[in-house]
Amino acid sequence: MPEKDTINGPIKTVVVLVMENRSFDHMLGWLKRINPEVDGLTGTESNPLSTTNPNSPQILVSDSATYVDPFDPGHSFQAIRKQIFGSDNTSADPPPMNGFAQEAEEESKGLSTAVMRAFKPELLPVYTTLAMEFAVFDRWFASIPTSTQPNRSYVHSATSHGLMSNVLSDLFKGFPQKTIFDSLDDSQLSFGIYYQILPSTLFYDTLRQLKYINKFRDYYLLFKKDANEGKLPNYTVIEPVYYDSSILPANDDHPVHNVSNGQMLVKEVYETLRKSPQWNETLLIITYDEHGGFYDHVPTPVRNVPNPDGLNGPAPYDFQFDRLGVRVPTIMVSPWINKGMGLSLSLSLSLSLSLSLSLSLSLQCREQ
């Protein structure tokens, strides 16, 4: 049996909460009003209703986003390609990020205005406070330009194993790749998945093994208890409520779910960790799987993006996994992050790529 890895750094507990389907500009873009160094919105950003018509009406960004949006904008591979390139032509480098309004209007009349809306900071008080007190990333991109489950797969295994969309038959069949959870187990480091309804991490073959059954823990019964007792695992994943029900409202932020529920979840997680005896060795990562079709002005990286395992997507696109997705909100919280520190690094959601190597993390933040 291999020896247990030693964590030499100050952070021994990493807590990961992945929310759903919102872009950076949509959620945090107006933080620029409070901190001008955040690469957010100025109010001059816009998208044309037609990228081929030089006289097309322009849809300006606004600060009129609301907690409940009745639309679920397009976020398939095809839709995202049109959003970032303005057409099906993917040769532009950098991409112009000018097709969000056009693609949305093609899906539903009036949706072009909705995807250009962003939240006032005061409407997201939890995020605003955490971003100002700790660290906000303004260069964190979804791993691939497509929908939820392929991007969540990157979070847990640094690859989607060729998956380019939410294909239910493939998800239920299970994916064979090694995950960060297997790497932790190999190193005799602990992990736990605190689920609220259904754990999406069961889409991986290895996590269906009987030896991992106790790694799945009921969030409502055990998260606060484990945190209060100082028993949170080295790697702690929190899965939000993905579907509205008569018992529990969804709190994952996926349109059309109420964003205020997501704020309450983040607040609860943060306050639970602050009270835990493990707080002084904890890093909380709050991020999103993908942008959900909402506008973001920062060009998606389309060069020097490595394919993680040599697999390509299926026909007719044969995607080589060599482009990142749209920028998404990411906030890191830890007593090891000083107030006023900011992070502006080009990163993707491939947490496993780095965290699988070692949980001995040291934050090297650069002061903005």
Side-chain angles (χ1 to χ4, degrees):
M1 179 177 291
E3 294 184 4
K4 181 176 180 178
D5 278 2
T6 301
I7 300 176
N8 296 316
I11 296 172
K12 296 176 173 59
T13 303
V14 177
V15 180
V16 178
L17 172 59
V18 183
M19 305 293 277
E20 290 271 323
N21 292 46
R22 305 280 176 165
S23 72
F24 183 96
D25 275 344
H26 177 65
M27 298 295 280
L28 300 178
W30 290 115
L31 275 180
K32 191 174 183 69
R33 291 173 172 171
I34 302 172
N35 180 358
E37 295 187 3
V38 172
D39 191 353
L41 296 169
T42 64
T44 62
E45 297 84 1
S46 67
N47 261 196
L49 282 179
S50 172
T51 59
T52 59
N53 179 3
N55 299 315
S56 170
Q58 297 283 324
I59 308 297
L60 277 169
V61 295
S62 72
D63 61 3
S64 58
T66 57
Y67 288 139
V68 179
D69 197 314
F71 300 102
D72 182 12
H75 46 278
S76 65
F77 179 82
Q78 303 95 302
I80 296 171
R81 181 176 59 184
K82 292 179 180 178
Q83 289 162 8
I84 66 176
F85 290 103
S87 70
D88 291 333
N89 185 339
T90 61
S91 62
D93 180 14
M97 309 301 283
N98 65 347
F100 290 85
Q102 173 181 265
E103 195 281 327
E105 197 69 15
E106 290 173 356
E107 288 203 20
S108 179
K109 188 175 181 179
L111 187 55
S112 57
T113 302
V115 300
M116 302 298 289
R117 295 173 183 156
F119 282 94
K120 297 176 182 177
E122 56 265 32
L123 287 183
L124 302 178
V126 178
Y127 280 174
T128 299
T129 300
L130 294 179
M132 297 303 291
E133 293 290 326
F134 296 99
V136 59
F137 287 72
D138 59 10
R139 280 297 185 278
W140 191 291
F141 298 87
S143 293
I144 45 177
T146 190
S147 50
T148 288
Q149 293 305 333
N151 276 291
R152 282 186 171 267
S153 187
Y154 265 80
V155 173
H156 301 306
S157 64
T159 175
S160 70
H161 197 70
L163 186 70
M164 282 181 56
S165 60
N166 299 334
V167 181
L168 289 179
S169 58
D170 290 340
L171 294 172
F172 290 128
K173 180 181 177 182
F175 285 88
Q177 67 262 37
K178 188 173 184 177
T179 67
I180 187 172
F181 308 106
D182 302 304
S183 297
L184 289 161
D185 190 61
D186 289 346
S187 300
Q188 297 188 57
L189 294 173
S190 58
F191 72 85
I193 299 163
Y194 291 81
Y195 65 93
Q196 298 182 56
I197 292 186
L198 294 172
S200 65
T201 40
L202 282 174
F203 290 141
Y204 307 99
D205 285 343
T206 57
L207 287 180
R208 299 175 182 178
Q209 297 178 69
L210 188 60
K211 69 174 183 176
Y212 289 151
I213 191 170
N214 291 329
K215 304 296 186 181
F216 292 90
R217 304 178 69 77
D218 186 292
Y219 173 84
Y220 299 100
L221 294 177
L222 298 173
F223 178 64
K224 286 186 179 180
K225 178 178 182 293
D226 290 350
N228 291 339
E229 295 177 358
K231 295 180 179 179
L232 287 176
N234 297 120
Y235 189 65
T236 296
V237 172
I238 297 171
E239 298 220 39
V241 180
Y242 300 111
Y243 302 100
D244 272 321
S245 71
S246 58
I247 302 172
L248 291 171
N251 57 13
D252 63 345
D253 282 354
H254 193 302
V256 297
H257 301 155
N258 192 325
V259 171
S260 66
N261 292 330
Q263 290 290 281
M264 288 189 286
L265 171 62
V266 173
K267 180 176 184 290
E268 180 177 70
V269 170
Y270 167 69
E271 290 181 344
T272 298
L273 295 175
R274 281 298 299 256
K275 296 174 184 176
S276 170
Q278 292 173 265
W279 170 243
N280 285 332
E281 58 184 34
T282 294
L283 169 67
L284 169 62
I285 303 172
I286 305 157
T287 189
Y288 283 71
D289 54 359
E290 42 105 350
H291 78 296
F294 292 99
Y295 172 75
D296 195 89
H297 78 279
V298 174
T300 294
V302 296
R303 260 193 323 183
N304 301 320
V305 177
N307 183 309
D309 50 17
L311 296 176
N312 292 342
Y317 305 107
D318 301 314
F319 181 56
Q320 298 181 18
F321 296 90
D322 54 0
R323 300 198 307 265
L324 296 183
V326 176
R327 190 175 62 148
V328 293
T330 299
I331 297 171
M332 290 196 183
V333 177
S334 174
W336 293 93
I337 300 175
N338 293 331
K339 181 177 180 178
M341 296 292 258
L343 300 174
S344 181
L345 306 173
S346 294
L347 296 173
S348 77
L349 277 173
S350 305
L351 289 177
S352 295
L353 199 58
S354 58
L355 293 180
S356 293
L357 300 176
S358 173
L359 274 177
S360 179
L361 300 179
S362 59
L363 289 177
Q364 295 182 346
C365 304
R366 68 171 177 82
E367 192 165 2
Q368 292 188 327

